[in-house]
Amino acid sequence: MIPLRFSSLNRPETIDELEHSHFDVLVIGGGITGSGIALDASSRGLKVALIERKDFASGTSSRSGKLIHGGLKYLQKFDFPVVKETGRERDIVYNNARHLVYPIDMTFPIITKESYNLATLKAGLSLYDRLAGVKKDERHTLYSKRKTLKREPLFNPKTVKGSGVYVEYCTDDSRLTLEAAKTAAEKCVSVLNYAEMTEILKDGGNRVKGVVARDHVNGRTFTVRATNVVNAAGPWVDDVRKKDRPITGRYMVHAKGIHIVFDYQSLPVATSIYFQHNGRMIAVIPKGDKTYVGSTETIYKENMDDIHVSQSEVEYLLGCLDDMFPPLDLSINEITSSWAGVRPLIGTDDDKPSELSRHDEIFESDSGLITIAGGKLTGYRKMAERVMQFIEKRHNQKPTASNTVHVKLTGGNFNSKNDLSSLIDQLHEHYSYLRLTRNAVKEYVLRYGTNTEILLKKIANYDEHFDDDEQRNIAAEVRYTVEHEMTATIADFYDRRTSYLLFNLDKVKRTINTATDEMKNALGWDQETLKKQITDMQYLIEKALTFTKD
Ligand SMILES: Cc1cc2nc3c(=O)[nH]c(=O)nc-3n(C[C@H](O)[C@H](O)[C@H](O)COP(=O)(O)OP(=O)(O)OC[C@H]3O[C@@H](n4cnc5c(N)ncnc54)[C@H](O)[C@@H]3O)c2cc1C
């Protein structure tokens, strides 16, 4: 059997490849930025490697608001070229990963004492429709106060004066990142998670020529050599830069943001809502049988490896919700999960979070380490193109456009919304003997896209070994993600492959024993590893519902 390239069972072969090849480009960091660069570089026919210290998307790329923004935010800053580019990029991301990116109606209420009125909102949204190239059927609509309250009866009638509704796009940030890394692996990139860059290697002329990496699964150290080394370590880019040389000039400022999750019945909004509260924007997004809310924004200087949601941040969001939806009177006890992350922004300590640039920037150290920082999920393809053009210029070549405009991410081979629903119907019918509801099949297709059938075949193989269908499905899903998605820990599975930790904590609790057993068998864990894995996962379950005191 040909070994699968993006599999936890193939780690020794990947390490061998990393150690014994010379790469054109080595990327440090498997968030959306690094995964996008690896994909772009490989699409240009280059020999590429990507190493990630923990799991793909374990940094900021699984802790975002999960929106593929069209650039409305940039309009507020009169950044017209960026609005244009972001609108175009949103379409491309949507076309290339239709199973993971979907349009949602977003209501923008006009609120007393906040900065918009119906006239300014109309002007803004009309300009946005034009600049961002919004499709005809997705252009905005304005509603009077009466109609707004009819559409969204939970709004505060004392402060809401009307609304605009426009189309925004939502995604699963972890999976978007993972599928970008997996697509890169399918294009022959040597990709490895749990491989940390610990040292920068230099030649006699003090030029960067590779890195030393540590494999956290078996504790081995190995070297990776490359002509161009790109630091895409998100909020950790300065840690990587410091390994090269002392930092001068601009550096990373970490702006923390949190999200909290409720059952949909507790916060039953009719559409997604993006509202202003004392000048700050808060999003309320329904997702299946949950609704999530975020975010906050505060400068963060604490432990970057274990970021907690604090009680005061939760209280702040609850206060915003109270003002917006007074009938609900939501309490902290109704929260079903939460997450926190830090935005990698570029600036100085004196900048306020709102003043820090959200743009990406590329810089090169005197020894040749290329760093990219900042940015957004939506712009990942363009960021990758800019890095590759930077590399081309560095080698006195003419900068060329990216080849990834039409590269579908793995699982995303759909041409229309109809293709998605036909696949769901087809699989639901074909595998009816597995007793899966159409909704269950839909959930899989919106997670794994055209790869879903590989999972369903696995579920079929497991059918006779389990009395309970939910346990059978989890065991098969764990095995699928180990073999095909480089899942190496229980947290990889529950947090980033499936997001059950964020949106279905009860399911995590019901299935954790089966998932752990399956991983133990798949990866040959000894008792000590098993114990550590269970402890780590239990910590994450508790953390999702425990809010620290400041
Ligand atoms: C609260 C919040 C809400 C947001 N909402 C949105 C949104 O709705 N839409 C949007 O477009 N953007 C949003 N963003 C921004 C977006 O999430 C980030 O811009 C993006 O995820 C950054 O990706 P990255 O790859 O640069 O960083 P990361 O995802 O953090 O990736 C960097 C990776 O580098 C790895 N790494 C670090 N050091 C090493 C090393 N030595 N060796 C190997 N690997 C290493 C880390 O483990 C990490 O996985 C939000 C951000 C936050 C915090």
Side-chain angles (χ1 to χ4, degrees):
M1 196 175 96
I2 304 168
L4 296 164
R5 283 194 66 78
F6 201 72
S7 167
S8 272
L9 307 181
N10 195 44
R11 287 185 73 85
E13 289 79 0
T14 308
I15 294 174
D16 198 53
E17 248 174 53
L18 285 165
E19 196 166 21
H20 295 107
S21 312
H22 189 281
F23 295 94
D24 297 313
V25 180
L26 162 66
V27 184
I28 302 168
I32 190 67
T33 309
S35 304
I37 296 166
L39 179 58
D40 188 310
S42 62
S43 307
R44 291 166 191 261
L46 298 175
K47 192 160 177 56
V48 185
L50 167 70
I51 54 170
E52 160 56 49
R53 161 183 92 118
K54 292 185 176 173
D55 187 27
F56 307 106
S58 58
T60 309
S61 297
S62 58
R63 294 297 177 254
S64 81
K66 309 185 190 297
L67 292 174
I68 298 293
H69 294 292
L72 190 61
K73 272 187 179 179
Y74 302 110
L75 192 64
Q76 291 166 316
K77 300 200 164 147
F78 303 104
D79 216 339
F80 299 143
V82 179
V83 179
K84 264 189 173 168
E85 179 181 297
T86 312
R88 257 198 324 265
E89 280 308 302
R90 179 175 74 177
D91 256 6
I92 296 171
V93 178
Y94 172 57
N95 282 331
N96 291 341
R98 272 184 195 247
H99 60 311
L100 298 177
V101 182
Y102 54 95
I104 51 173
D105 278 348
M106 184 70 95
T107 302
F108 189 116
I110 297 156
I111 302 169
T112 315
K113 293 196 184 136
E114 298 293 351
S115 49
Y116 290 89
N117 57 40
L118 216 50
T120 52
L121 186 65
K122 181 175 169 46
L125 288 176
S126 304
L127 185 60
Y128 169 70
D129 280 348
R130 235 178 328 125
L131 285 175
V134 175
K135 296 169 201 145
K136 253 194 183 147
D137 57 339
E138 294 188 357
R139 294 197 184 144
H140 77 274
T141 315
L142 293 175
Y143 293 98
S144 64
K145 173 169 181 164
R146 190 180 60 79
K147 284 197 176 148
T148 301
L149 290 173
K150 197 167 169 218
R151 286 169 58 87
E152 206 61 76
L154 296 169
F155 274 161
N156 188 345
K158 289 190 187 141
T159 54
V160 170
K161 299 190 292 182
S163 64
V165 175
Y166 62 99
V167 173
E168 189 60 282
Y169 282 63
C170 203
T171 192
D172 176 334
D173 48 2
S174 316
R175 292 209 57 87
L176 188 71
T177 304
L178 181 94
E179 306 269 37
K182 184 171 172 181
T183 310
E186 286 174 358
K187 289 188 177 296
C188 291
V189 176
S190 305
V191 182
L192 194 66
N193 56 357
Y194 294 96
E196 176 171 9
M197 183 288 299
T198 53
E199 219 181 292
I200 304 261
L201 290 175
K202 307 237 176 107
D203 64 15
N206 206 30
R207 304 288 297 165
V208 174
K209 62 169 188 180
V211 304
V212 176
R214 186 169 178 78
D215 170 14
H216 286 297
V217 172
N218 69 12
R220 236 191 85 199
T221 292
F222 57 96
T223 55
V224 190
R225 287 167 202 281
T227 310
N228 302 282
V229 178
V230 180
N231 166 15
W236 294 270
V237 290
D238 284 352
D239 294 344
V240 172
R241 285 166 81 199
K242 279 180 205 153
K243 296 229 154 85
D244 170 35
R245 50 191 303 121
I247 295 179
T248 51
R250 310 212 321 133
Y251 55 89
M252 289 317 295
V253 178
H254 298 143
K256 181 186 173 195
I258 69 141
H259 285 83
I260 49 180
V261 186
F262 297 90
D263 280 332
Y264 178 74
Q265 291 100 310
S266 306
L267 185 42
V269 283
T271 66
S272 294
I273 293 161
Y274 196 49
F275 69 95
Q276 239 186 353
H277 190 272
N278 294 332
R280 262 201 60 72
M281 297 307 304
I282 308 289
V284 178
I285 316 278
K287 184 179 169 73
D289 57 4
K290 303 283 175 196
T291 305
Y292 67 93
V293 180
S295 73
T296 52
E297 194 164 59
T298 46
I299 297 292
Y300 183 76
K301 294 185 178 174
E302 290 158 52
N303 182 1
M304 286 289 297
D305 284 325
D306 193 18
I307 306 167
H308 287 257
V309 172
S310 77
Q311 189 153 338
S312 61
E313 288 165 318
V314 170
E315 280 163 6
Y316 166 77
L317 287 182
L318 288 174
C320 298
L321 292 172
D322 244 7
D323 289 344
M324 198 65 221
F325 310 106
L328 293 178
D329 196 21
L330 288 161
S331 88
I332 206 163
N333 301 326
E334 287 169 271
I335 295 173
T336 60
S337 192
S338 68
W339 68 87
V342 292
R343 296 175 181 85
L345 304 178
I346 306 152
T348 66
D349 270 346
D350 297 333
D351 296 326
K352 288 199 191 110
S354 59
E355 287 164 0
L356 292 163
S357 164
R358 274 126 234 257
H359 293 317
D360 50 287
E361 279 186 36
I362 302 171
F363 28 96
E364 182 179 354
S365 74
D366 292 344
S367 39
L369 177 71
I370 299 162
T371 293
I372 171 130
K376 287 255 154 206
L377 297 169
T378 318
Y380 83 90
R381 215 190 56 85
K382 272 285 168 192
M383 285 167 75
E385 181 183 68
R386 284 193 271 277
V387 168
M388 292 316 298
Q389 292 180 338
F390 188 93
I391 289 176
E392 285 175 321
K393 281 193 218 152
R394 196 174 180 239
H395 295 282
N396 299 321
Q397 291 162 2
K398 206 167 148 245
T400 53
S402 167
N403 295 322
T404 55
V405 177
H406 301 295
V407 173
K408 303 262 187 207
L409 297 193
T410 169
N413 208 2
F414 298 99
N415 292 319
S416 71
K417 251 195 240 166
N418 293 345
D419 282 4
L420 259 174
S421 39
S422 326
L423 179 68
I424 296 165
D425 288 335
Q426 204 187 310
L427 292 176
H428 181 230
E429 195 187 319
H430 190 80
Y431 289 90
S432 57
Y433 64 95
L434 294 177
R435 304 168 295 282
L436 295 165
T437 62
R438 188 180 185 280
N439 259 349
V441 175
K442 182 176 169 191
E443 204 184 301
Y444 287 143
V445 171
L446 297 184
R447 191 174 297 146
Y448 302 109
T450 47
N451 293 319
T452 304
E453 189 156 19
I454 309 173
L455 166 65
L456 295 181
K457 283 187 178 151
K458 231 171 236 321
I459 296 180
N461 289 341
Y462 278 47
D463 197 29
E464 64 185 65
H465 305 294
F466 287 86
D467 295 331
D468 180 294
D469 284 357
E470 185 179 44
Q471 305 300 330
R472 171 200 69 181
N473 299 346
I474 275 291
E477 198 171 5
V478 163
R479 183 66 76 142
Y480 169 77
T481 66
V482 168
E483 288 177 0
H484 296 267
E485 298 198 335
M486 284 189 107
T487 297
T489 70
I490 304 176
D492 295 349
F493 176 73
Y494 279 123
D495 190 352
R496 291 166 292 274
R497 300 298 178 277
T498 60
S499 291
Y500 291 140
L501 181 70
L502 311 185
F503 297 109
N504 201 343
L505 206 52
D506 288 340
K507 188 179 182 90
V508 179
K509 292 176 189 163
R510 285 197 306 270
T511 58
I512 188 159
N513 290 340
T514 303
T516 316
D517 265 5
E518 188 64 27
M519 286 203 74
K520 175 177 169 271
N521 295 337
L523 294 168
W525 285 344
D526 56 23
Q527 281 308 316
E528 200 187 324
T529 312
L530 181 68
K531 213 167 136 202
K532 181 177 180 317
Q533 288 284 328
I534 294 171
T535 312
D536 288 354
M537 189 61 214
Q538 272 159 354
Y539 176 71
L540 292 181
I541 295 172
E542 256 172 55
K543 184 175 160 181
L545 285 175
T546 312
F547 311 120
T548 54
K549 306 250 187 292
D550 303 288

